[in-house]
Amino acid sequence: MSSEMNSNGAAEEGSAHIRTDFRTRDVVNQAIAAIPTLGLQKAAEFLSAMNVPPEVAIRALAYPVKRKH
């Protein structure tokens, strides 16, 4: 088997990322969908209120190309 352990002890297959936090994914998707209506500031406030980690919120809102799908 070609799996290797990463620094967190989780097995990796190549560069694929297996998302396990579906709640955060859904909250981030809601915030991104609301940007055209509410604006970036309100979307960021929503993520903060929903306890999304700041590094995740910044990556998702400010650097969409770095977003993990």
Side-chain angles (χ1 to χ4, degrees), residues 2 10-11 16 18 23-24 35 37 44-46 49-50 52-53 55 59-62 68:
S2 64
I18 299 171
R23 179 201 167 275
T24 300
I35 290 173
T37 305
E45 290 172 5
F46 171 72
M50 298 300 290
V52 172
E55 62 274 7
R59 183 177 66 238
L61 297 177
K68 297 174 183 175

Side-chain angles (χ1 to χ4, degrees), residues 37-64:
T37 305
L38 301 177
L40 190 58
Q41 180 67 36
K42 292 289 186 187
E45 290 172 5
F46 171 72
L47 292 178
S48 178
M50 298 300 290
N51 297 317
V52 172
E55 62 274 7
V56 173
I58 291 168
R59 183 177 66 238
L61 297 177
Y63 305 106

Side-chain angles (χ1 to χ4, degrees), residues 3-33:
S3 294
E4 293 181 12
M5 299 300 276
N6 68 15
S7 61
N8 295 330
E12 285 185 359
E13 286 289 335
S15 63
H17 173 78
I18 299 171
R19 182 175 300 283
T20 57
D21 186 355
F22 297 109
R23 179 201 167 275
T24 300
R25 178 203 61 194
D26 293 341
V27 170
V28 167
N29 285 339
Q30 288 176 7
I32 290 170

